[in-house]
Amino acid sequence: MYIRILFLLLALTSVTMADDNKYALIPVPNQIKTGTGVFKLDSATTLFVPPSMLPEAGLFRSYLQQIYNYNLPLVEAKAGSNQISVRQSKMPGTDAYVLQIESGQISINVTSPAALLYAFETLKQLLPPARNYRSLSVPCMTINDSPRFAYRGMHLDVVRHFFTVDQVKRYIDRMVMYKFNTLHWHLTDDQGWRIEIKKYPLLTKVGAYRNGTLIGHYNDIPQQFDTIRYGGFYTQDQIRDVIKYAAERHINIVPEIEMPGHAQAALAAYPEYGCVQKNLEVGKTWGVYKDIFCPTEETFTFLENILTEVCALFPGPYIHIGGDEVPKDRWKESPFCQKLIKEKGLRDEEELQRYFTNRILSFLRTRNKIGIGWDEILNEGLDSTGVVMSWRGHKGGFDAAKKGHDVIMAPYSHVYFDYYQTRSIKDELAIGGYLPLSKVYSFDPVPEGLTEEERKHILGAQACVWTEYIADENRLQEMTIPRMAALSEVLWSDPSNRDFDSFGSRMIMHLKYLRMQQIRFSNSIFEVGARLTADEPSGVSIELVSNGKGEIRYTLDGTSPTINSPIYKEKIKADQSVVLTAAMMFGAIKVSDDMSVVFKLNHATGRQVTLNSSPYPDYSIAGIFSLVDGRKGRIPWLGDEWLGFFNTPFDAVIDLGSEKMFSNVSVDMLKDSLSNIHLPKSISVSTSNDNISWTSVKTIAASEIDQAGRNIRVRFPYVKARFVKIVAENKGGFLFVDEISID
Ligand code: TNX
């Protein structure tokens, strides 16, 4: 789906931009005052920086050298003209800078060396986006800028798939480009232990390698595996090397050592620290494993020894100790744990996890470190120093801030970059979910309803990049870019400057900058989407939308659009069943994947639906109209096309507008047991002509439903009616419903 020729075209795209978006700056600075004229870098231009900022100057100079083959000499004195000169001064805002570009000189005022790095990143984006550019000129302007949040993070899971030191450094480079300052390095999990610990060599000798890996998706039945030994780890020297590289770029690394769950790789090496003394193998599949650390004194010593080495390696204030997805089975079965629960006066295994977490947090304190944990650690009585990372939505962060804990927001709904970013069938395998750029961009890290004081606990946010389905660096780049760019505006920019249209325009120009640096990216910005809308008084139209600025061409016969296909200009009236296929094109060149909507017209299409039960908030974005929009929801399911009903029936009335004859009601429903989505216990159909008195038409039971699979049909002798009521009884968990057809 990632089309290389796309790059050739980008030159065409910048001409149409509105004036205020004419600089492809991402994240958008707080204030830009445009001037007239340009500053030209020529062979006489010099650079002056205070001695404390020579490292940042070095990075900028080597960039100019590498990209433009341009040598910018560093001088020890301030000159009146033809110079880029840097001065440190006090101004409001942590890491604030002012970048003033005049035709005679560029002056940069910074509050810190980090601020200089950020000023240079901005300046780099203002230089011409083509290598070996002969005359390097920058438009005159003054930029005032500083970050919104102190914690601007990217996470990287190097366990499910391993990334080398060089690959991690390149990941850091991309973070710098968007002014991120924290790398959350997920170093241990069930499928591998990736950090050398001198005291426990088996952690890497045994724990860093697995004897095979799941092929395809976790939900595939049956699961399939390869038999290739897979793994790798970082020596402590390599870790120090990465830390130094990151520190030079003002990025702090937060290492994560998972406990007490996601510990299978460690237990494969040292089974004595689990509750059951048995041989385990390093995980080959994804998901959650039942074997976890047992909270014995020996285990605490083991973990504290590990953390002692980790604390000595990483200079930053934070150590992440995991704490997510801890199944309590082993603790429940263990006589030792049960005795410990009694001895310590704990209520249950949840409190035992709190006891476990608090012990580790207080140990970290003795090493002058602050512990971070996933939001599962937020239990009554959590040590007050514990920082909560809120991944299961916003609530964990909200509750933690209310209780006075510092918080880092990482809700899967907005920043899980392992989710799909397009609806293209060509988008490679991903874990599930749908997280387009616009959704990332709409993210607000500060949960609603916090007081001024509580809001101060929201340190910032991060995207999580779990790598079950991200096996190499190319895919890593495509999954993170451009979504990282969208997140950078959430974390850095003043909210009053945020505007998705402006971002889209700047992003398209910015692609040239990425291309110049050979950074791959997803073409998701050009994705064409279809929205089906109800017409008044009846009927349905298909609207095509995209953030890309090219032409949308489409066909109605199932073929792939070409230069000869019609250009989309206005909503397409869908008065018969069609297959609509659309793509974004610049001239004859296609820059997006093909998008297809199969549109099936029936009595229910485009009609009014009333729900008598409420969908679960996370799975209601499809909207009620999606039930009758003529389009079937996709599998693997993306949260935006299905309505989810949690522990409640699906109960809906469809108004057909006038009396119609029909003998079939069909409902599309999903089954995905691993996600707690089940088919219903029964479905019943009744009809009415006044929406008051109802006649029951037919009920089908679970046995029939289970055989039907996704498309569940309720058939009966022809009836004539205007209102149709459909009730699907819930077995417990989720009911996922999409298209309803009546014919
Ligand atoms: C849940 S998010 C996990 C990870 C998985 C991820 C996949 C979190 C704290 N735990 O172990 O990789 O889902 O999206």
Side-chain angles (χ1 to χ4, degrees), residues 646-696:
F646 188 64
N647 284 343
T648 177
F650 167 70
D651 184 338
V653 174
I654 299 141
D655 177 356
L656 304 181
S658 59
E659 286 184 25
K660 298 275 158 57
M661 292 278 294
F662 52 91
S663 65
N664 173 45
V665 169
S666 81
V667 190
D668 272 16
M669 301 194 82
L670 262 189
K671 181 175 168 179
D672 178 355
S673 317
L674 289 164
S675 307
N676 198 20
I677 302 170
H678 309 283
L679 292 173
K681 234 195 282 187
S682 66
I683 298 184
S684 41
V685 173
S686 34
T687 56
S688 164
N689 278 323
D690 55 7
N691 203 4
I692 300 169
S693 62
W694 292 92
T695 313
S696 154

Side-chain angles (χ1 to χ4, degrees), residues 193-484:
W193 184 280
R194 307 266 178 251
I195 172 173
E196 177 190 27
I197 300 295
K198 303 265 190 211
K199 201 169 180 120
Y200 302 108
L202 297 185
L203 282 173
T204 44
K205 190 157 187 273
V206 173
Y209 300 91
R210 56 179 182 250
N211 288 321
T213 301
L214 182 81
I215 307 170
H217 198 276
Y218 183 78
N219 291 352
D220 291 350
I221 300 170
Q223 288 189 339
Q224 291 193 39
F225 297 87
D226 66 31
T227 53
I228 304 163
R229 188 171 148 86
Y230 182 93
F233 68 93
Y234 311 106
T235 65
Q236 294 201 354
D237 280 343
Q238 287 175 319
I239 298 259
R240 270 188 286 268
D241 178 34
V242 174
I243 292 170
K244 178 166 170 284
Y245 187 88
E248 286 163 2
R249 287 153 184 82
H250 298 282
I251 286 182
N252 176 48
I253 302 187
V254 178
E256 179 177 356
I257 307 295
E258 276 267 21
M259 61 189 78
H262 285 293
Q264 175 112 345
L267 293 174
Y270 295 95
E272 58 268 41
Y273 303 118
C275 289
V276 192
Q277 309 304 312
K278 67 171 180 193
N279 285 334
L280 295 166
E281 61 170 10
V282 178
K284 293 179 187 170
T285 185
W286 318 129
V288 177
Y289 287 73
K290 286 196 178 141
D291 284 287
I292 63 174
F293 289 124
C294 205
T296 62
E297 286 311 306
E298 291 76 14
T299 303
F300 282 112
T301 307
F302 171 70
L303 293 172
E304 288 172 8
N305 287 337
I306 291 171
L307 290 173
T308 299
E309 291 191 31
V310 173
C311 292
L313 275 170
F314 289 88
Y318 298 117
I319 305 288
H320 199 303
I321 55 165
D324 59 315
E325 301 179 320
V326 183
K328 301 295 181 325
D329 310 54
R330 296 290 180 262
W331 287 3
K332 284 195 176 128
E333 297 153 9
S334 147
F336 169 81
C337 291
Q338 293 309 313
K339 192 160 141 262
L340 189 63
I341 287 176
K342 286 221 182 70
E343 262 172 39
K344 301 283 174 196
L346 304 172
R347 203 180 323 124
D348 55 14
E349 292 74 20
E350 291 307 320
E351 291 209 345
L352 185 54
Q353 184 176 350
R354 183 204 62 206
Y355 160 82
F356 180 99
T357 310
N358 282 355
R359 267 192 73 160
I360 298 290
L361 290 176
S362 59
F363 171 78
L364 287 175
R365 263 209 308 275
T366 67
R367 295 289 184 278
N368 283 319
K369 299 288 187 192
I370 301 167
I372 305 178
W374 298 106
D375 57 49
E376 285 94 330
I377 68 165
L378 186 66
N379 256 319
E380 208 49 52
L382 171 67
D383 186 295
S384 64
T385 61
V387 176
V388 173
M389 189 170 269
S390 187
W391 73 279
R392 295 174 301 174
H394 288 74
K395 189 171 180 307
F398 176 86
D399 292 347
K402 283 252 171 242
K403 290 188 174 148
H405 293 279
D406 279 350
V407 170
I408 297 151
M409 298 301 293
Y412 62 79
S413 54
H414 291 78
V415 286
Y416 265 40
F417 289 2
D418 55 344
Y419 284 18
Y420 283 98
Q421 63 189 310
T422 72
R423 294 157 69 152
S424 162
I425 41 169
K426 284 199 240 150
D427 200 347
E428 284 168 53
L429 190 65
I431 193 157
Y434 179 49
L435 181 63
L437 267 185
S438 52
K439 180 109 189 249
V440 177
Y441 201 81
S442 72
F443 173 43
D444 187 356
V446 181
E448 268 171 43
L450 294 179
T451 64
E452 192 71 25
E453 221 23 62
E454 290 159 353
R455 255 186 258 161
K456 291 190 187 139
H457 286 297
I458 311 293
L459 306 178
Q462 71 176 36
C464 289
V465 184
W466 302 103
T467 56
E468 288 95 332
Y469 305 94
I470 303 177
D472 59 40
E473 194 181 14
N474 282 345
R475 183 71 175 151
L476 180 64
Q477 294 193 11
E478 289 159 359
M479 289 301 270
T480 48
I481 298 181
R483 287 190 286 199
M484 248 172 105

Side-chain angles (χ1 to χ4, degrees), residues 7-29:
F7 300 133
L8 301 174
L9 299 167
L10 297 169
L12 294 169
T13 60
S14 54
V15 283
T16 55
M17 301 309 146
D19 214 38
D20 51 337
N21 299 329
K22 91 179 155 208
Y23 306 113
L25 291 172
I26 296 177
V28 65

